[in-house]
Amino acid sequence: MSGDGAERVGGAERVAASERVGIDELLERVRAGYNRVGPQEAAAAATDGALLVDIRYAALRDRDGLIPGALVVERNELEWRLDPLGSHRAAEAVSHDLPVVVICNEGYASSLAVASLRQLGLHRTTDLIGGFQAWRAAGLPVTPGAADG
């Protein structure tokens, strides 16, 4: 065991049982580090130049539709596509100062994605409370998905 309560097992660090947290506590800790936004705030941020990033998987986008103007980047590619220093970055990933609103289906996965993007230096990243479902429930614009076509 190292002095911080973690031990190395097969090259990986294992957290001591006393330091483990459940997903609800992890979400609470992550979200305490930034201000989340509601649907109207996200729409206003986009009008002011923020990048809306939809991380929902294809089946949800096909079923429920898309937010006009949002950049679609599935969760497993997010860090590579939004890192302004990355060789696989999206054209929109121009600066660590870019305001970004991450949108998942209901506002859970997006919070964990924000934590990861902030570790890359994207300090103006936040997420949408309630995700895409809250956006749609607020009556904000949605274009039909492939399942509606």
Side-chain angles (χ1 to χ4, degrees), residues 22-32 34 36-37 53-57 60 75 78-79 101-117 125-135:
I23 189 63
D24 294 326
E25 185 176 344
L26 179 60
L27 279 171
E28 187 176 314
R29 288 180 184 184
V30 164
R31 289 171 174 169
Y34 66 94
R36 303 177 76 210
V37 297
V53 180
D54 185 344
I55 64 169
R56 294 174 302 140
Y57 53 90
L60 289 176
R75 177 64 189 98
L78 186 64
E79 290 81 1
V101 179
V102 181
I103 302 165
C104 67
N105 195 49
E106 295 181 344
Y108 296 99
S110 57
S111 295
L112 298 176
V114 167
S116 181
L117 292 173
T125 301
T126 188
D127 72 324
L128 175 58
I129 299 166
F132 178 86
Q133 298 306 324
W135 177 279

